[in-house]
Structures are given as structure tokens and as C-alpha cells.
Amino acid sequence: MTERLGGEFRGLDERLAVIQARIAAVERPFEHDVEVIPVTKGFAGNAVEAAVDAGCRTVGENYAQDLLSKADLIQRLGVAVQFIGHLQSNKVRQLVDIVSLWCTIDRRSILDEVAKRAPGARVLIQVNATGESQKGGCHPAEVAALVDQAGAAGLVIEGLMTIGPTGQPPAAARRPFEIVRALVDEHELDICSMGMSGDIEMAVECGSTQVRVGSALFGPRPVSAI
């Protein structure tokens, strides 16, 4: 139980159960399971320990330096890591022994760098389906080319990832999520990673197979990490 971690994340297993109940309550035409990925970015290693202690075997991390500081702990715990932040080419080499799934492949240059440094790596292509300039991700029309290029480079394309619109109610995410789900089906991919703490229900209704949850599990991130 998470209580043994000293109190900072006491009750995380109960909060995880609440998230899973939210997912289970969604009426949807999809029969697949939905995995909850705890996002431990900005927190110290005890957040990773708490997630593992609550039964999670995968965590999401956004920042290369933050992840590198937790590398020894992550490897000792045997937890898989999804890298879900903006990926810089010069950081790929440092992360190859830690990252299990690269979730933000959105351009040819980063695709080639991952293929060079981590041959056969598992990847998601990030799609910017909202059109917001501040968001990473390729245009939906570019997905087919990136899927082909990733396959030709020897990468394993597991699926697509997207982020809903910033500062909007969950209903505003419906169309972007539907676009990405349709692309997952079109390319016969397995993973449709979309939905975070505030728009879980909409994402699941639209066909998400993974939701990435940070604040609803761990609380607000430390100020220094925002």
C-alpha cells in the first residue's frame, strides 16, 4: 500500500481506483481495456515508487533531465517508461537505455534520430489535431507519411498520441479525439493514447486505449516543475 511511503502520496491507490471507476462508467462502443499511465514528471523518485506500489508497471515522464535523475531507481523497480514530452534530438542518446515507448515522434528528424540510437524502438506518432501552435505533433494529414517512414526506418509503430485543447471544456476535445481515433483505425494500430485528468471521459468515449494522469493521482506539481 502507498501508505508505507511516508505519507506524501498516501491514498494514491484509492485515487487510482477512482480514475479506473471513471473509465468504467463511460458508455462507449469500444470493448478494449484502457490503461492508466501515471505521469510522474516534476516529482521526485518517491512518486514512481508510489505508482509501482499502487500496482502500476508503467510511468510517463516529460523532461529528459528529470528522467535521467530517476534512471537508477526506475531500473531497480523494473518500471517501464513512456517519454511523453517534447523530444530533442540531442537528448535521445541519453535516454535510449531508459525509455520503453517514445510517444512524441512528430517529425522526420526525430524519427531518424530514434531509429539511429535505438534500432527497433517502439514509438507513438504524436498528432496535433487541435491546430494549436504551442502544441507538438504533426498535422493529421502527415500521419500516413510518418507511419511509412517509421516503418522503413525499422521502428515499431504502436499507435498515435494526442493532447486535447488547452483551457477548453472536455466537450471541445471530441472532434480532435475522433480524428485521432479514426487515424489509429485507418492504419490498424493498437494504441490510441489520449486523455488526461480533465478529459478522461471524453477520451475514453472516443476510443482512447491509454489515459495519461498526473494531477488527479499525485496532486499539483511542485512549483519548480511547472
PDB file of all heavy atoms in Angstrom, residues 151-182:
ATOM      1  N   GLY A 151       8.232   2.924 -40.251  1.00  0.00           N
ATOM      2  CA  GLY A 151       8.334   1.511 -40.588  1.00  0.00           C
ATOM      3  C   GLY A 151       9.568   1.226 -41.423  1.00  0.00           C
ATOM      4  O   GLY A 151      10.291   0.241 -41.184  1.00  0.00           O
ATOM      5  N   ALA A 152       9.844   2.086 -42.393  1.00  0.00           N
ATOM      6  CA  ALA A 152      11.015   1.903 -43.243  1.00  0.00           C
ATOM      7  C   ALA A 152      12.307   2.031 -42.451  1.00  0.00           C
ATOM      8  O   ALA A 152      13.328   1.423 -42.800  1.00  0.00           O
ATOM      9  CB  ALA A 152      10.990   2.925 -44.384  1.00  0.00           C
ATOM     10  N   ALA A 153      12.271   2.826 -41.377  1.00  0.00           N
ATOM     11  CA  ALA A 153      13.455   3.013 -40.535  1.00  0.00           C
ATOM     12  C   ALA A 153      13.631   1.891 -39.515  1.00  0.00           C
ATOM     13  O   ALA A 153      14.582   1.910 -38.734  1.00  0.00           O
ATOM     14  CB  ALA A 153      13.374   4.360 -39.818  1.00  0.00           C
ATOM     15  N   GLY A 154      12.705   0.945 -39.500  1.00  0.00           N
ATOM     16  CA  GLY A 154      12.823  -0.189 -38.593  1.00  0.00           C
ATOM     17  C   GLY A 154      12.210   0.010 -37.227  1.00  0.00           C
ATOM     18  O   GLY A 154      12.379  -0.821 -36.329  1.00  0.00           O
ATOM     19  N   LEU A 155      11.473   1.104 -37.055  1.00  0.00           N
ATOM     20  CA  LEU A 155      10.805   1.338 -35.779  1.00  0.00           C
ATOM     21  C   LEU A 155       9.487   0.574 -35.724  1.00  0.00           C
ATOM     22  O   LEU A 155       8.881   0.271 -36.755  1.00  0.00           O
ATOM     23  CB  LEU A 155      10.544   2.834 -35.594  1.00  0.00           C
ATOM     24  CG  LEU A 155      11.800   3.714 -35.527  1.00  0.00           C
ATOM     25  CD1 LEU A 155      11.422   5.187 -35.496  1.00  0.00           C
ATOM     26  CD2 LEU A 155      12.655   3.360 -34.312  1.00  0.00           C
ATOM     27  N   VAL A 156       9.035   0.288 -34.531  1.00  0.00           N
ATOM     28  CA  VAL A 156       7.766  -0.412 -34.323  1.00  0.00           C
ATOM     29  C   VAL A 156       6.709   0.625 -33.981  1.00  0.00           C
ATOM     30  O   VAL A 156       6.734   1.210 -32.897  1.00  0.00           O
ATOM     31  CB  VAL A 156       7.879  -1.463 -33.200  1.00  0.00           C
ATOM     32  CG1 VAL A 156       6.541  -2.169 -32.992  1.00  0.00           C
ATOM     33  CG2 VAL A 156       8.973  -2.473 -33.526  1.00  0.00           C
ATOM     34  N   ILE A 157       5.785   0.875 -34.899  1.00  0.00           N
ATOM     35  CA  ILE A 157       4.765   1.903 -34.688  1.00  0.00           C
ATOM     36  C   ILE A 157       3.602   1.286 -33.927  1.00  0.00           C
ATOM     37  O   ILE A 157       2.804   0.526 -34.478  1.00  0.00           O
ATOM     38  CB  ILE A 157       4.270   2.505 -36.018  1.00  0.00           C
ATOM     39  CG1 ILE A 157       5.433   2.964 -36.889  1.00  0.00           C
ATOM     40  CG2 ILE A 157       3.335   3.674 -35.742  1.00  0.00           C
ATOM     41  CD1 ILE A 157       5.831   1.960 -37.948  1.00  0.00           C
ATOM     42  N   GLU A 158       3.518   1.613 -32.638  1.00  0.00           N
ATOM     43  CA  GLU A 158       2.477   1.032 -31.790  1.00  0.00           C
ATOM     44  C   GLU A 158       1.151   1.773 -31.919  1.00  0.00           C
ATOM     45  O   GLU A 158       0.086   1.184 -31.724  1.00  0.00           O
ATOM     46  CB  GLU A 158       2.923   1.056 -30.332  1.00  0.00           C
ATOM     47  CG  GLU A 158       4.164   0.235 -30.037  1.00  0.00           C
ATOM     48  CD  GLU A 158       3.862  -1.243 -29.874  1.00  0.00           C
ATOM     49  OE1 GLU A 158       2.705  -1.637 -30.045  1.00  0.00           O
ATOM     50  OE2 GLU A 158       4.809  -2.003 -29.573  1.00  0.00           O
ATOM     51  N   GLY A 159       1.200   3.090 -32.210  1.00  0.00           N
ATOM     52  CA  GLY A 159      -0.050   3.826 -32.261  1.00  0.00           C
ATOM     53  C   GLY A 159       0.177   5.315 -32.376  1.00  0.00           C
ATOM     54  O   GLY A 159       1.256   5.777 -32.777  1.00  0.00           O
ATOM     55  N   LEU A 160      -0.847   6.074 -31.985  1.00  0.00           N
ATOM     56  CA  LEU A 160      -0.810   7.523 -32.053  1.00  0.00           C
ATOM     57  C   LEU A 160      -1.095   8.116 -30.680  1.00  0.00           C
ATOM     58  O   LEU A 160      -1.746   7.502 -29.843  1.00  0.00           O
ATOM     59  CB  LEU A 160      -1.856   8.041 -33.045  1.00  0.00           C
ATOM     60  CG  LEU A 160      -1.832   7.477 -34.467  1.00  0.00           C
ATOM     61  CD1 LEU A 160      -2.936   8.110 -35.314  1.00  0.00           C
ATOM     62  CD2 LEU A 160      -0.473   7.665 -35.122  1.00  0.00           C
ATOM     63  N   MET A 161      -0.609   9.343 -30.481  1.00  0.00           N
ATOM     64  CA  MET A 161      -0.836  10.070 -29.246  1.00  0.00           C
ATOM     65  C   MET A 161      -1.283  11.483 -29.580  1.00  0.00           C
ATOM     66  O   MET A 161      -0.842  12.055 -30.577  1.00  0.00           O
ATOM     67  CB  MET A 161       0.458  10.106 -28.416  1.00  0.00           C
ATOM     68  CG  MET A 161       0.321  10.835 -27.076  1.00  0.00           C
ATOM     69  SD  MET A 161       0.734  12.586 -27.162  1.00  0.00           S
ATOM     70  CE  MET A 161       2.190  12.617 -26.131  1.00  0.00           C
ATOM     71  N   THR A 162      -2.181  12.032 -28.763  1.00  0.00           N
ATOM     72  CA  THR A 162      -2.590  13.420 -28.946  1.00  0.00           C
ATOM     73  C   THR A 162      -2.947  14.038 -27.608  1.00  0.00           C
ATOM     74  O   THR A 162      -3.128  13.334 -26.605  1.00  0.00           O
ATOM     75  CB  THR A 162      -3.773  13.526 -29.929  1.00  0.00           C
ATOM     76  OG1 THR A 162      -3.893  14.883 -30.371  1.00  0.00           O
ATOM     77  CG2 THR A 162      -5.093  13.094 -29.281  1.00  0.00           C
ATOM     78  N   ILE A 163      -3.040  15.367 -27.605  1.00  0.00           N
ATOM     79  CA  ILE A 163      -3.413  16.140 -26.421  1.00  0.00           C
ATOM     80  C   ILE A 163      -4.619  16.984 -26.780  1.00  0.00           C
ATOM     81  O   ILE A 163      -4.658  17.617 -27.841  1.00  0.00           O
ATOM     82  CB  ILE A 163      -2.251  17.045 -25.968  1.00  0.00           C
ATOM     83  CG1 ILE A 163      -1.018  16.202 -25.633  1.00  0.00           C
ATOM     84  CG2 ILE A 163      -2.663  17.893 -24.760  1.00  0.00           C
ATOM     85  CD1 ILE A 163       0.234  17.018 -25.387  1.00  0.00           C
ATOM     86  N   GLY A 164      -5.612  17.007 -25.911  1.00  0.00           N
ATOM     87  CA  GLY A 164      -6.812  17.797 -26.145  1.00  0.00           C
ATOM     88  C   GLY A 164      -6.535  19.284 -26.087  1.00  0.00           C
ATOM     89  O   GLY A 164      -5.452  19.722 -25.692  1.00  0.00           O
ATOM     90  N   PRO A 165      -7.507  20.096 -26.463  1.00  0.00           N
ATOM     91  CA  PRO A 165      -7.316  21.550 -26.487  1.00  0.00           C
ATOM     92  C   PRO A 165      -7.054  22.114 -25.095  1.00  0.00           C
ATOM     93  O   PRO A 165      -7.659  21.691 -24.116  1.00  0.00           O
ATOM     94  CB  PRO A 165      -8.622  22.070 -27.076  1.00  0.00           C
ATOM     95  CG  PRO A 165      -9.621  20.985 -26.847  1.00  0.00           C
ATOM     96  CD  PRO A 165      -8.858  19.708 -26.911  1.00  0.00           C
ATOM     97  N   THR A 166      -6.157  23.087 -25.031  1.00  0.00           N
ATOM     98  CA  THR A 166      -5.782  23.704 -23.765  1.00  0.00           C
ATOM     99  C   THR A 166      -6.834  24.716 -23.317  1.00  0.00           C
ATOM    100  O   THR A 166      -7.300  25.538 -24.105  1.00  0.00           O
ATOM    101  CB  THR A 166      -4.427  24.412 -23.904  1.00  0.00           C
ATOM    102  OG1 THR A 166      -3.444  23.447 -24.308  1.00  0.00           O
ATOM    103  CG2 THR A 166      -4.006  25.052 -22.584  1.00  0.00           C
ATOM    104  N   GLY A 167      -7.206  24.642 -22.026  1.00  0.00           N
ATOM    105  CA  GLY A 167      -8.096  25.638 -21.448  1.00  0.00           C
ATOM    106  C   GLY A 167      -9.525  25.589 -21.944  1.00  0.00           C
ATOM    107  O   GLY A 167     -10.259  26.568 -21.799  1.00  0.00           O
ATOM    108  N   GLN A 168      -9.930  24.462 -22.492  1.00  0.00           N
ATOM    109  CA  GLN A 168     -11.280  24.311 -23.019  1.00  0.00           C
ATOM    110  C   GLN A 168     -12.030  23.234 -22.235  1.00  0.00           C
ATOM    111  O   GLN A 168     -11.411  22.354 -21.627  1.00  0.00           O
ATOM    112  CB  GLN A 168     -11.238  23.923 -24.498  1.00  0.00           C
ATOM    113  CG  GLN A 168     -10.566  24.948 -25.395  1.00  0.00           C
ATOM    114  CD  GLN A 168     -11.330  26.257 -25.441  1.00  0.00           C
ATOM    115  OE1 GLN A 168     -12.550  26.267 -25.566  1.00  0.00           O
ATOM    116  NE2 GLN A 168     -10.605  27.363 -25.313  1.00  0.00           N
ATOM    117  N   PRO A 169     -13.349  23.263 -22.229  1.00  0.00           N
ATOM    118  CA  PRO A 169     -14.108  22.196 -21.572  1.00  0.00           C
ATOM    119  C   PRO A 169     -13.900  20.871 -22.294  1.00  0.00           C
ATOM    120  O   PRO A 169     -13.542  20.853 -23.484  1.00  0.00           O
ATOM    121  CB  PRO A 169     -15.553  22.675 -21.678  1.00  0.00           C
ATOM    122  CG  PRO A 169     -15.568  23.614 -22.826  1.00  0.00           C
ATOM    123  CD  PRO A 169     -14.230  24.291 -22.831  1.00  0.00           C
ATOM    124  N   PRO A 170     -14.111  19.755 -21.600  1.00  0.00           N
ATOM    125  CA  PRO A 170     -13.875  18.445 -22.213  1.00  0.00           C
ATOM    126  C   PRO A 170     -14.597  18.236 -23.541  1.00  0.00           C
ATOM    127  O   PRO A 170     -14.063  17.562 -24.433  1.00  0.00           O
ATOM    128  CB  PRO A 170     -14.386  17.476 -21.142  1.00  0.00           C
ATOM    129  CG  PRO A 170     -14.205  18.205 -19.859  1.00  0.00           C
ATOM    130  CD  PRO A 170     -14.487  19.644 -20.171  1.00  0.00           C
ATOM    131  N   ALA A 171     -15.781  18.813 -23.696  1.00  0.00           N
ATOM    132  CA  ALA A 171     -16.531  18.619 -24.939  1.00  0.00           C
ATOM    133  C   ALA A 171     -15.764  19.121 -26.155  1.00  0.00           C
ATOM    134  O   ALA A 171     -15.946  18.607 -27.271  1.00  0.00           O
ATOM    135  CB  ALA A 171     -17.889  19.322 -24.849  1.00  0.00           C
ATOM    136  N   ALA A 172     -14.886  20.111 -25.955  1.00  0.00           N
ATOM    137  CA  ALA A 172     -14.116  20.658 -27.074  1.00  0.00           C
ATOM    138  C   ALA A 172     -13.103  19.660 -27.618  1.00  0.00           C
ATOM    139  O   ALA A 172     -12.582  19.840 -28.723  1.00  0.00           O
ATOM    140  CB  ALA A 172     -13.404  21.937 -26.640  1.00  0.00           C
ATOM    141  N   ALA A 173     -12.813  18.625 -26.847  1.00  0.00           N
ATOM    142  CA  ALA A 173     -11.841  17.621 -27.286  1.00  0.00           C
ATOM    143  C   ALA A 173     -12.460  16.553 -28.166  1.00  0.00           C
ATOM    144  O   ALA A 173     -11.730  15.750 -28.763  1.00  0.00           O
ATOM    145  CB  ALA A 173     -11.194  16.967 -26.066  1.00  0.00           C
ATOM    146  N   ARG A 174     -13.778  16.522 -28.276  1.00  0.00           N
ATOM    147  CA  ARG A 174     -14.414  15.422 -29.007  1.00  0.00           C
ATOM    148  C   ARG A 174     -13.896  15.295 -30.437  1.00  0.00           C
ATOM    149  O   ARG A 174     -13.464  14.215 -30.862  1.00  0.00           O
ATOM    150  CB  ARG A 174     -15.937  15.586 -29.022  1.00  0.00           C
ATOM    151  CG  ARG A 174     -16.632  14.459 -29.808  1.00  0.00           C
ATOM    152  CD  ARG A 174     -18.142  14.616 -29.861  1.00  0.00           C
ATOM    153  NE  ARG A 174     -18.742  14.492 -28.537  1.00  0.00           N
ATOM    154  CZ  ARG A 174     -19.012  13.331 -27.954  1.00  0.00           C
ATOM    155  NH1 ARG A 174     -18.709  12.182 -28.562  1.00  0.00           N
ATOM    156  NH2 ARG A 174     -19.566  13.309 -26.753  1.00  0.00           N
ATOM    157  N   ARG A 175     -13.949  16.380 -31.199  1.00  0.00           N
ATOM    158  CA  ARG A 175     -13.560  16.282 -32.601  1.00  0.00           C
ATOM    159  C   ARG A 175     -12.086  15.921 -32.766  1.00  0.00           C
ATOM    160  O   ARG A 175     -11.764  15.013 -33.565  1.00  0.00           O
ATOM    161  CB  ARG A 175     -13.902  17.584 -33.341  1.00  0.00           C
ATOM    162  CG  ARG A 175     -13.600  17.526 -34.837  1.00  0.00           C
ATOM    163  CD  ARG A 175     -14.317  16.371 -35.495  1.00  0.00           C
ATOM    164  NE  ARG A 175     -13.985  16.245 -36.911  1.00  0.00           N
ATOM    165  CZ  ARG A 175     -14.073  15.110 -37.601  1.00  0.00           C
ATOM    166  NH1 ARG A 175     -14.482  13.995 -37.010  1.00  0.00           N
ATOM    167  NH2 ARG A 175     -13.761  15.084 -38.880  1.00  0.00           N
ATOM    168  N   PRO A 176     -11.145  16.575 -32.065  1.00  0.00           N
ATOM    169  CA  PRO A 176      -9.747  16.148 -32.176  1.00  0.00           C
ATOM    170  C   PRO A 176      -9.538  14.680 -31.807  1.00  0.00           C
ATOM    171  O   PRO A 176      -8.789  13.967 -32.481  1.00  0.00           O
ATOM    172  CB  PRO A 176      -9.014  17.075 -31.202  1.00  0.00           C
ATOM    173  CG  PRO A 176      -9.868  18.281 -31.117  1.00  0.00           C
ATOM    174  CD  PRO A 176     -11.278  17.796 -31.240  1.00  0.00           C
ATOM    175  N   PHE A 177     -10.205  14.233 -30.751  1.00  0.00           N
ATOM    176  CA  PHE A 177     -10.059  12.837 -30.355  1.00  0.00           C
ATOM    177  C   PHE A 177     -10.640  11.893 -31.409  1.00  0.00           C
ATOM    178  O   PHE A 177     -10.079  10.830 -31.692  1.00  0.00           O
ATOM    179  CB  PHE A 177     -10.732  12.598 -29.006  1.00  0.00           C
ATOM    180  CG  PHE A 177      -9.997  13.186 -27.823  1.00  0.00           C
ATOM    181  CD1 PHE A 177     -10.628  13.290 -26.587  1.00  0.00           C
ATOM    182  CD2 PHE A 177      -8.691  13.631 -27.931  1.00  0.00           C
ATOM    183  CE1 PHE A 177      -9.961  13.812 -25.488  1.00  0.00           C
ATOM    184  CE2 PHE A 177      -8.013  14.169 -26.847  1.00  0.00           C
ATOM    185  CZ  PHE A 177      -8.654  14.255 -25.612  1.00  0.00           C
ATOM    186  N   GLU A 178     -11.757  12.254 -31.986  1.00  0.00           N
ATOM    187  CA  GLU A 178     -12.349  11.424 -33.034  1.00  0.00           C
ATOM    188  C   GLU A 178     -11.424  11.332 -34.251  1.00  0.00           C
ATOM    189  O   GLU A 178     -11.320  10.271 -34.884  1.00  0.00           O
ATOM    190  CB  GLU A 178     -13.710  11.972 -33.437  1.00  0.00           C
ATOM    191  CG  GLU A 178     -14.791  11.776 -32.389  1.00  0.00           C
ATOM    192  CD  GLU A 178     -16.115  12.414 -32.773  1.00  0.00           C
ATOM    193  OE1 GLU A 178     -16.126  13.331 -33.636  1.00  0.00           O
ATOM    194  OE2 GLU A 178     -17.146  12.015 -32.194  1.00  0.00           O
ATOM    195  N   ILE A 179     -10.780  12.440 -34.585  1.00  0.00           N
ATOM    196  CA  ILE A 179      -9.844  12.439 -35.716  1.00  0.00           C
ATOM    197  C   ILE A 179      -8.706  11.454 -35.477  1.00  0.00           C
ATOM    198  O   ILE A 179      -8.350  10.650 -36.358  1.00  0.00           O
ATOM    199  CB  ILE A 179      -9.289  13.861 -35.939  1.00  0.00           C
ATOM    200  CG1 ILE A 179     -10.381  14.770 -36.514  1.00  0.00           C
ATOM    201  CG2 ILE A 179      -8.067  13.835 -36.861  1.00  0.00           C
ATOM    202  CD1 ILE A 179      -9.992  16.241 -36.551  1.00  0.00           C
ATOM    203  N   VAL A 180      -8.134  11.488 -34.281  1.00  0.00           N
ATOM    204  CA  VAL A 180      -7.001  10.622 -33.983  1.00  0.00           C
ATOM    205  C   VAL A 180      -7.430   9.165 -33.904  1.00  0.00           C
ATOM    206  O   VAL A 180      -6.740   8.267 -34.406  1.00  0.00           O
ATOM    207  CB  VAL A 180      -6.294  11.091 -32.695  1.00  0.00           C
ATOM    208  CG1 VAL A 180      -5.210  10.107 -32.278  1.00  0.00           C
ATOM    209  CG2 VAL A 180      -5.698  12.475 -32.911  1.00  0.00           C
ATOM    210  N   ARG A 181      -8.595   8.899 -33.312  1.00  0.00           N
ATOM    211  CA  ARG A 181      -9.075   7.520 -33.262  1.00  0.00           C
ATOM    212  C   ARG A 181      -9.284   6.963 -34.669  1.00  0.00           C
ATOM    213  O   ARG A 181      -8.952   5.793 -34.950  1.00  0.00           O
ATOM    214  CB  ARG A 181     -10.381   7.458 -32.469  1.00  0.00           C
ATOM    215  CG  ARG A 181     -10.976   6.051 -32.359  1.00  0.00           C
ATOM    216  CD  ARG A 181     -10.112   5.129 -31.532  1.00  0.00           C
ATOM    217  NE  ARG A 181      -9.855   3.864 -32.195  1.00  0.00           N
ATOM    218  CZ  ARG A 181      -9.284   2.808 -31.626  1.00  0.00           C
ATOM    219  NH1 ARG A 181      -8.899   2.861 -30.368  1.00  0.00           N
ATOM    220  NH2 ARG A 181      -9.059   1.725 -32.305  1.00  0.00           N
ATOM    221  N   ALA A 182      -9.821   7.781 -35.570  1.00  0.00           N
ATOM    222  CA  ALA A 182     -10.036   7.343 -36.944  1.00  0.00           C
ATOM    223  C   ALA A 182      -8.709   7.016 -37.629  1.00  0.00           C
ATOM    224  O   ALA A 182      -8.615   6.048 -38.410  1.00  0.00           O
ATOM    225  CB  ALA A 182     -10.800   8.409 -37.725  1.00  0.00           C
TER     226      ALA A 182
END
